[in-house]
Amino acid sequence: MMLRVRSRDGLERVSIDSPQITVSQLKTLIQSQLQIPVQNQTLSTNQNLLLAKTPADLIKFTDMSNPSTLLSALNLSHGSIVFLTYDGERTVSGPTFHPAGSFGRKMTMDDLIAKQMRVTRQENPHCELVSFDRDCANGFQHYVNDTLAFAVKRAGFMYGTVSDEGKVEVDFIYEPPQLGTEENLAILRNPDEEKFVEAIAVGLGMTKVGFIFTQTISQDKKDYTLSNREVLQAAEFHAESGLKEWVTAVVKLEVNEEGAADVHFEAFQMSDTCIRLFKEGWFETEIAQDADPKLSKMKKDVVVGVKDTREVDNDFFLVVVKIFDHQGPLTSTFPVENRNTPVTMRALKNHLDRTKSLPFVKRISDFHLLFLLARFLDLSSDVPALAECVQRQTAVPEGYQLLIESLASS
């Protein structure tokens, strides 16, 4: 059987006989197969190990500190990921020699450029952390879990704020029109809808900060963190944003210690090299049906480690981001746009009736409700003004109240 080992060098594979071996035996196998001395290794099933900076940080990861612990006791099986950090440098084999110049193949300008395009693992993200509003995150994961059962892919754009220190807070998720299958996700972007969203975000003092998508149950059986199609899509939206703190979040099912399935969030940034390669057109965007999903293909050779290659392990493009949660300024109880059931004025009436006891500004403090109202209001003045009332939690002018109640009764 095989375990995946993720370190600062990317994703590698270690062959083991069975999950009945101990942590100590696994370290010995890592030493023999990956040339990392046992005494230099720290292992964990927690991806945050890769963010540890000091010895004091490392000792917090205790799940694999006992050398006698069996891998089976840690729920590790074929294809599971173990995270590894180590002291020192790797011993790697030398490069294959390709003669050039007057004694062999002539170097072209493309060859010279490729020699300078090195793909290495980026250690630190540009954003300090990403924090999800609990209601907003729960609303998204409940839909993909309870309604879609993680059978098809689903996505949304995350909106919120970015602090001077690089802390990203996500306060609402806009779900655009889309078509998801088990393996693919097509975002059917609607410019008019996106204008509504941007106008609301401006009034709320927020901006687009990231992209969130799900992986399906069938993908959980595959040997990758992000597929090549997912890397391309994530890189496209990251590059388009121009925001260095842009976050890509993944939601998927993972089996817990009791054998039940838990919804799991992971957050990444696409590396600077990945975004540069995407912007400069290095990626092969036509992906063959039989292509290995864990590898991204380049149009020209790049240097990975000591090798020239046109296939890059997707993990080289991912930078892990710490995840927190918070209670943001908005609620997330109003029906969400572009899902299976269209949102009608009946939903608005039901929502207002249900929240009668609250101040009017509290009753409309929900992005998805504001999104519905935006279709009937002036985009340049009314929408930002109403959203600003929500941001400041100030009284909603009587004219807007009457208009909203009239729409609810129509």
Side-chain angles (χ1 to χ4, degrees):
M1 61 178 286
M2 175 273 295
L3 283 182
R4 293 179 287 171
V5 178
R6 187 191 293 173
S7 70
R8 67 191 187 217
D9 304 313
L11 191 68
E12 298 174 274
R13 290 155 188 81
V14 171
S15 297
I16 65 175
D17 292 332
S18 81
Q20 300 308 313
I21 68 171
T22 64
V23 169
S24 175
Q25 291 170 314
L26 174 60
K27 286 188 172 184
T28 301
L29 290 170
I30 290 174
Q31 176 176 270
S32 64
Q33 296 180 37
L34 303 184
Q35 290 77 52
I36 301 172
V38 169
Q39 65 273 17
N40 292 359
Q41 300 175 27
T42 302
L43 299 176
S44 177
T45 58
N46 186 338
Q47 66 174 353
N48 289 326
L49 175 70
L50 300 183
L51 300 173
K53 302 298 182 187
T54 66
D57 293 334
L58 290 176
I59 62 174
K60 297 175 184 176
F61 297 89
T62 59
D63 58 324
M64 298 184 72
S65 60
N66 185 343
S68 301
T69 300
L70 293 175
L71 301 192
S72 58
L74 298 167
N75 288 315
L76 295 175
S77 58
H78 178 71
S80 295
I81 296 182
V82 172
F83 298 92
L84 161 70
T85 186
Y86 63 90
D87 297 326
E89 298 297 325
R90 296 282 294 276
T91 300
V92 293
S93 57
T96 303
F97 180 70
H98 296 288
S102 59
F103 296 100
R105 180 175 62 88
K106 186 177 180 181
M107 296 287 284
T108 66
M109 183 58 68
D110 281 350
D111 291 332
L112 293 172
I113 293 172
K115 291 297 180 188
Q116 298 174 346
M117 182 58 81
R118 304 189 68 88
V119 178
T120 57
R121 190 168 183 84
Q122 182 175 321
E123 295 293 333
N124 299 311
H126 292 293
C127 72
E128 178 67 21
L129 59 88
V130 59
S131 182
F132 288 89
D133 172 79
R134 286 186 284 274
D135 293 340
C136 146
N138 283 335
F140 185 76
Q141 66 102 350
H142 277 311
Y143 179 67
V144 299
N145 189 19
D146 298 346
T147 303
L148 301 182
F150 281 94
V152 296
K153 295 172 72 68
R154 185 74 184 172
F157 291 109
M158 305 186 293
Y159 282 76
T161 57
V162 182
S163 72
D164 292 339
E165 299 77 29
K167 175 183 175 183
V168 174
E169 288 196 348
V170 177
D171 287 313
F172 72 82
I173 297 171
Y174 158 62
E175 298 178 25
Q178 56 196 277
L179 182 62
T181 66
E182 275 191 315
E183 298 287 343
N184 298 316
L185 176 66
I187 304 297
L188 312 175
R189 300 181 70 171
N190 182 320
D192 291 333
E193 279 198 3
E194 292 188 22
K195 288 176 184 176
F196 297 153
V197 180
E198 293 302 323
I200 295 167
V202 167
L204 293 172
M206 299 179 188
T207 189
K208 193 189 297 184
V209 295
F211 178 63
I212 185 170
F213 66 92
T214 63
Q215 290 184 333
T216 59
I217 295 174
S218 63
Q219 286 183 278
D220 188 49
K221 301 178 177 65
K222 305 294 178 63
D223 182 21
Y224 56 75
T225 307
L226 261 64
S227 72
N228 43 23
R229 296 180 190 278
E230 290 167 345
V231 166
L232 272 176
Q233 194 167 52
E236 176 188 356
F237 294 138
H238 188 148
E240 176 190 294
S241 75
L243 181 70
K244 73 177 190 297
E245 297 89 356
W246 181 270
V247 174
T248 297
V250 185
V251 185
K252 58 186 178 181
L253 280 182
E254 286 197 348
V255 178
N256 62 26
E257 295 177 358
E258 287 76 38
D262 288 334
V263 177
H264 183 69
F265 281 69
E266 289 184 348
F268 304 95
Q269 282 202 286
M270 309 311 291
S271 70
D272 296 344
T273 301
C274 175
I275 300 307
R276 178 185 170 187
L277 289 169
F278 182 84
K279 286 182 174 180
E280 295 181 4
W282 288 66
F283 279 91
E284 286 282 7
T285 54
E286 296 296 325
I287 299 174
Q289 200 67 33
D290 59 349
D292 188 340
K294 67 177 177 290
L295 299 175
S296 289
K297 290 196 174 184
M298 302 291 119
K299 294 177 180 177
K300 297 176 285 188
D301 283 355
V302 296
V303 181
V304 180
V306 295
K307 297 179 181 178
D308 292 353
T309 182
R310 294 195 179 190
E311 294 185 332
V312 182
D313 189 314
N314 298 332
D315 274 24
F316 274 96
F317 296 136
L318 305 180
V319 190
V320 178
V321 176
K322 293 180 286 189
I323 294 181
F324 289 78
D325 65 5
H326 67 278
Q327 192 64 55
L330 304 175
T331 60
S332 293
T333 58
F334 194 77
V336 176
E337 62 286 343
N338 297 317
R339 289 185 175 176
N340 291 337
T341 305
V343 182
T344 65
M345 285 304 168
R346 169 62 62 180
L348 178 61
K349 179 171 178 19
N350 291 343
H351 178 87
L352 293 178
D353 288 345
R354 190 173 63 251
T355 56
K356 275 182 180 177
S357 62
L358 299 175
F360 198 83
V361 70
K362 289 284 188 189
R363 298 165 72 187
I364 65 167
S365 294
D366 188 308
F367 161 74
H368 306 291
L369 183 149
L370 294 173
F371 180 81
L372 176 67
L373 294 178
R375 298 176 180 275
F376 305 94
L377 300 174
D378 184 83
L379 197 59
S380 60
S381 58
D382 294 340
V383 173
L386 196 59
E388 188 174 351
C389 289
V390 171
Q391 183 205 17
R392 299 177 180 276
Q393 289 295 290
T394 54
V396 177
E398 185 179 4
Y400 284 135
Q401 289 193 40
L402 292 173
L403 175 59
I404 293 169
E405 289 169 344
S406 172
L407 287 171
S409 300
S410 62

